[in-house]
Amino acid sequence: MWNLLFGKLTWNSLPHVWYTIGGTLTLMLMGAVAAAVLTYTKRWKWLWNEWLTSTDPKRIGIMYIIVALLMLFRGALDAIMIWMQQALSVGSSTGYLSADHFQQIFTAHGDIMVFFATMGLLVGLMNLVVPLQIGARDLAFPFLNTLGFWLYVAGAILINMFFVFGGDFAATGWLAQAPLSELQFSPGVGVDYWIWSLQVSGLGSLLAGLNFLVTILKMRAPGMTLMRMPLFVWTTLCSSILVVTVFPILAITIAMLTLDRYLGMHFFTTTNGGNPMMYINLIWMWGHPEVYILVLPSFGIFSEVVSTFSHKKLAGYTSQVLAAIFVTILSLMVWLHHFFTMGAGADVNAIFGISTMIIAIPTGVQIFNWLSTMYRGRIVLSSSLYWFLGFVATFTFGGIAGVLLASPTADYQLHNSLFLVAHFHTMIVGGALFGLFAGITYWFPKFMGFKLNEKLGKTAFWFWLTGFFLAFIPLYILGYMGATRRLDHYTNPAWQPLFIISVLGFMVILAGVTTQILQIIISIKNRKQNMDLSGDPWDARNLEWATSSPPPFYNYAVIPEVHGRDAFWEMKKEMKENPQPANVEYKDFELPKNTPFGIYLAGFALLFGFAMVWHMFLIAGIGFVGMMVCLIIRAFDEETEYILTAQEIAKLEQERKDHIYA
Amino acid sequence: MHEEKNEKTFLGFWIYLMTDLLMFAGLFAAFIVLRNNTFGGVGGSQIFNMPFVLVETLFLLTSSFTCGVALLLAHEKKLKGVIAMLCTTFLLGAGFLGMELYEFSHLFSEGHTYQKSAFLSSYFALVGTHGLHITAGLLWMLILIIFILKKGLTQGGIRKITLMSLFWHFLDIVWIFIFTIVYLMGVAL
C-alpha cells in the first residue's frame, strides 16, 4: 500500500542536509511573505482574475519575465557556488562542496539557465512584442499560450522540487548523457527530476513555438507582407521554426531514456545491445539548434535597437533576413561538432567542421549590416545601444573561438575543456543575454509607461562588460592549459590564480546585477520624471510604438494598415504631410475570454511529473486523468471568446485619450 | 470569422502533426540503428507473423476510408451517416488495436519482452507509441461522437471532425512506414 501511494518516497528522502533544508526554508518563507502581502492588500482575487488566468499575451509575457528573472537568480547562485569551489579546491584543500554536490550544482546551473532563464525571457519578450509589431490583438491560440506558460512554470517548480521533497538532483551534466544517466550509474531520483522537469517545460516551449509560427504566418495586419516584417518578427519566426523542428526530438530522446529507466528497456544502456552514442547524437540534434533558438531573437532585438537609435532604416534588410534563414537551416546540420572525439571518421568530421565554420558567414553579414546601419546615422547613445556595442565585441570574440573549435583537429585538444565553457558562455551571455537586456531596456517604456534610468543602465553595462571579460578570459587560458570542465578539484597550483581572477570577474558582474536591480527600483521611484504616455519615447520605427504606452488590452482599436517597411516611421511621415487624421470608425471584434484551464492542466501535469519521479503510480494516474478531463471539458466549451462592441471601444478609447492628455 | 479561425486551427494542427511525425522519426531512427542489436536473441524474421500483420493493416486502412466518408457526409450535413461512419471507424480501429495487443501479449508469453534486447526495446517502443496514438484517437472519436450527438453538426463540430480525420489519416501513414520498415524489411533483411 505504501508503495502504491508513496513509491520510493520515504522519511529518509526528506531534506536533511544544509542546502536542501536552507532551500526549503527560503522557499517557504518567500511563499509566506507573498501570501501575507496578498492577503493584507486583498489582492488574491485580483491576482487570479487579472493575471493568473489571463490570456492576454502582454500579461503572460510579463509573468514569463518575472519567473525567468527568479530562475536567473537561482542559476546565478549555482554559478557562484561552482566558481567558489574551483577557486578554493586545489592541492590538499578540497573546497567546501562534496564532489557529488558539486556535480548536481553544475547540472542544475546549465538546465536552469538554458531552459528556464533564457528561454523564459525570450518567450516573454516575444509575447509582449510580436503581436504589437505585426498589428494583431492576440496570438493565434490564446489558450495554448496560457497553457504553455503554466507548463513552463510547472517545469520550473519540478526542477527546484528536490529542495523541498528531498532526494537529489541529476549529477550528470545538463544534458544527462547516457549511459551515465542510466539506472545502472544514476540509481537515485535526480535524473528523474531532470526528465520530468524538461519533458513538462519542453512541451510548453513546443506549444509556444507552434503558436508564434501560426500567429506570424496568419495574423499580420493588412499590407504587412513577409518582407515588410520587422526583424524581430523574422527572427522569432526562424526561432519558432527551430522550436517545432527540434523540440520533438528532445521529447522523444528523453522518452527513450525514461523507458530505459522505468521499464528496463535498452536504448542507451551498455548491455543487451543498447547504444549510448545514439543518445549523444539525438540530444545534440536538439541541443545545437537550441543555441540558435536562444540567439536568433537577440539578433532581431539588435536590428530594432540599432536602426531606432541610428534613426536610419536597417541597412541590407533583405540580406539580414536571408542571413537569419540561412542560419536557421545551417544550425540543423552541425550537431556532430559537439562530439568530434566520438570517432565518426575523418570524412564525417570534416563535413560537420566545414558546415559549422560556414555559419560564421551569415553571422558576419548581420554584424556588418548593423555596423553599416550606424554609419552616418544620427546616433543616440542610449543604454540599449551600449548593450549592442558590447555584444559586437563579445560575440565576435566568442565567434572566432567557435570557428577555431569547429576545426576537428583543434577540437581533439579542446574538447570538454574550459576553453569550450568560455566559448559558449561568450555566445549565450554576450549574445543572447546582452540582446535580452537591450530588448528589455528598449521595450520597458512600452509596457510600463516610463523609461528606465539611463545612467544606471550604462553603469550596469560597464560592470557587466568588464566583469564578463575578467571572468571568462581566464577560462580560455585555463582551457589551453588543460583544465577540463566540471572539475571539483585540481592538483596544479599554477591554475589557481586564474580561477581566482575569474571569481573576481564574477563579483564585478554581480555589481552589474545589483546596479540593474537598483536601476529598476530608482526608475519606479522616479517614474513621474521619466513618464511617457505618447507611446513613442525613442522616436522609433515599428508598429509597436504606434499605440499608447502601456497599450490597451486589445492593442489596437482599429488594425493599422501597413504601407512599407518601418511601418510606424511611414505613418509619422504621412502625419506630418497630412496632419488631419481621418475619422476613425470602430467595428466590433472578438477577444479571448480568460480561462483557468491552463493553470489546472499544468497543475495536474506537475502532480503527474512529481508522482512519476517517485514512482507513485496511483497518484501519477490521478494526475494523468486530471489532465485528460481538463482537456475534454475545455474541448466542449464553444464560447471561449467574447465580443467587444463598437460603442464599448469608442468609450474605452475616449477614456484612454483623456488619461493620456490629462 | 469562422473561416479565419479554421485557417489558423488547421495550420496549427498541421504543424502539430509534423512535430508528432518528427517524434516518430526519432523512434524510426532508433529502430533502424538498433534493429540488428538482438543480443543473441530473436530477430524480426523469427517473430513476425506476416499474414496476421497484413490483416491488421487492412483493418486500419479501411478505417481510414470510412473516416474520410464520415467527413464527406459531415459537409453534406447528414448526421446519421456521420455517426454510422464514425462508429464503423471506431470499431475497425478498436479491432486493429485489439490485434496489436494480442500480438504483444503473444510475444510476451513466448518470452520476447522489451527488456531482452535493444531490438525488442525499439520495436515495442515504436509500434507501442503508434498504438498509444491509436488509443488516443479512439478516445477522441468517442468524445466527438458524443459532442455531435449533443450539439449537432455545427461549424465547430465539422471543424472537430476534420481535425480528428487528419489525425487518423496521419496515423495511417505512419503505420504504412511501420509496416514497411519494421515488418517487411524485418522479414526480408
Side-chain angles (χ1 to χ4, degrees), chain A residues 139-141 206 210 213-214 217-219 244-245 248-249 251-252 256 259 263-267 271-275 278 282 590 628 632 635-636 638 640-641, chain B residues 1 5 7-9 11-12 15-16 19 22-23 26-27 29-30 33-34 37 39 114-118 121-122 124-125 143 146-147 150-151 154 156-157 160:
Chain A
L139 292 186
F141 307 110
L206 190 60
L210 192 151
L213 193 51
V214 177
L217 290 178
K218 288 283 174 201
M219 295 178 68
V244 297
T245 317
I249 305 180
I252 197 65
M256 287 191 255
L259 290 173
L263 294 178
M265 288 198 183
H266 294 283
F267 281 101
T271 58
N272 293 54
N275 188 343
M278 190 167 68
L282 286 170
E590 280 182 342
M628 290 299 119
I632 292 168
F636 270 80
E638 286 214 301
T640 54
E641 287 174 333
Chain B
M1 213 59 207
K5 197 175 169 189
E7 240 179 70
K8 280 190 287 190
T9 313
L11 179 66
I15 295 171
Y16 151 69
T19 63
L22 279 163
M23 231 175 65
L27 284 167
V33 169
L34 299 174
N37 296 13
F39 200 59
Y114 45 74
Q115 290 109 332
K116 282 286 158 64
S117 71
S121 297
S122 61
F124 277 110
I143 293 162
I146 298 170
F147 184 90
K150 257 179 95 172
K151 304 206 172 175
T154 57
K160 285 181 166 68

Side-chain angles (χ1 to χ4, degrees), chain A residues 56 76 123 163 167 169 193 214 314 324 345 347 445 459 574 619 660:
Chain A
D56 181 348
V123 182
F163 277 122
F169 193 63
Y193 271 123
V214 177
L314 190 74
D347 297 343
T459 319
E574 211 169 292
I619 296 177
I660 291 170

Side-chain angles (χ1 to χ4, degrees), chain A residues 3-115:
Chain A
N3 259 338
L4 201 61
L5 260 180
F6 293 103
K8 296 203 280 186
L9 190 65
T10 60
W11 287 115
N12 292 338
S13 13
L14 292 179
H16 52 270
V17 276
W18 62 269
Y19 55 90
T20 44
I21 294 176
T24 309
L25 289 180
T26 316
L27 286 173
M28 278 159 75
L29 200 69
M30 276 164 62
V33 169
V37 169
L38 283 171
T39 313
Y40 183 70
T41 53
K42 300 198 174 110
R43 284 287 172 98
W44 281 104
K45 213 170 180 180
W46 165 84
L47 184 73
W48 180 261
N49 290 337
E50 296 286 315
W51 289 89
L52 303 187
T53 58
S54 175
T55 49
D56 181 348
K58 294 180 288 298
R59 294 273 158 98
I60 292 177
I62 289 170
M63 290 195 287
Y64 259 115
I65 290 177
I66 291 171
V67 178
L69 288 177
L70 284 175
M71 295 306 273
L72 192 69
F73 176 69
R74 160 88 162 79
L77 279 184
D78 289 336
I80 186 73
M81 288 204 276
I82 295 170
W83 251 311
M84 293 304 287
Q85 169 76 6
Q86 288 183 327
L88 296 171
S89 175
V90 58
S92 58
S93 157
T94 52
Y96 70 110
L97 295 173
S98 68
D100 191 50
H101 187 194
F102 181 78
Q103 287 161 0
Q104 294 179 31
I105 292 174
F106 66 64
T107 308
H109 170 72
D111 288 320
I112 283 176
M113 286 305 204
V114 170
F115 287 95

Side-chain angles (χ1 to χ4, degrees), chain A residues 1 32 36 87 97 104 165 191 193 197 261 264 299 327 362 396 443 473 479 481 493 511 560 625 649 658:
Chain A
M1 194 59 208
L97 295 173
Q104 294 179 31
F165 285 97
V191 175
Y193 271 123
S197 161
R261 286 180 65 89
F299 287 0
V327 169
T396 311
W443 282 307
I473 296 278
M481 291 162 76
V625 171
I649 302 162
D658 294 346

Side-chain angles (χ1 to χ4, degrees), chain A residues 227-390:
Chain A
M227 287 311 271
R228 284 177 181 171
M229 294 195 311
L231 247 294
F232 182 65
V233 178
W234 259 112
T235 51
T236 300
L237 181 68
C238 291
S239 190
S240 306
I241 289 173
L242 283 177
V243 167
V244 297
T245 317
V246 299
F247 268 78
I249 305 180
L250 176 73
I252 197 65
T253 310
I254 299 179
M256 287 191 255
L257 180 65
T258 315
L259 290 173
D260 276 5
R261 286 180 65 89
Y262 281 74
L263 294 178
M265 288 198 183
H266 294 283
F267 281 101
F268 314 120
T269 56
T270 48
T271 58
N272 293 54
N275 188 343
M277 288 187 186
M278 190 167 68
Y279 182 89
I280 296 168
N281 260 295
L282 286 170
I283 201 85
W284 282 115
M285 270 182 215
W286 162 81
H288 194 83
E290 168 70 10
V291 178
Y292 289 91
I293 291 169
L294 298 179
V295 92
L296 275 170
S298 280
F299 287 0
I301 293 169
F302 285 132
S303 298
E304 308 284 321
V305 165
V306 169
S307 83
T308 296
F309 292 108
S310 305
H311 292 90
K312 253 177 83 180
K313 68 175 201 273
L314 190 74
Y317 175 94
T318 312
S319 66
Q320 195 80 344
V321 170
L322 289 178
I325 295 173
F326 197 48
V327 169
T328 308
I329 296 168
L330 266 183
S331 74
L332 292 163
M333 305 185 198
V334 296
W335 78 90
L336 194 128
H337 69 215
H338 291 269
F339 43 89
F340 282 140
T341 52
M342 189 190 273
D347 297 343
V348 174
N349 279 359
I351 287 173
F352 280 91
I354 292 167
S355 63
T356 306
M357 291 179 201
I358 290 177
I359 290 197
I361 297 172
T363 320
V365 167
Q366 306 202 40
I367 291 193
F368 283 117
N369 277 339
W370 290 318
L371 294 180
S372 0
T373 309
M374 291 181 74
Y375 178 65
R376 290 190 153 178
R378 279 185 288 124
I379 295 174
V380 177
L381 268 178
S382 76
S383 56
S384 303
L385 205 57
Y386 272 53
W387 289 112
F388 166 72
L389 293 170

Side-chain angles (χ1 to χ4, degrees), chain A residues 483-509:
Chain A
T484 56
R485 67 197 295 199
R486 297 166 181 162
L487 276 182
D488 65 303
H489 180 75
Y490 49 95
T491 46
N492 185 351
W495 292 355
Q496 198 183 19
L498 285 167
F499 274 118
I500 291 177
I501 295 176
S502 188
V503 175
L504 291 179
F506 186 70
M507 295 298 170
V508 180
I509 294 180

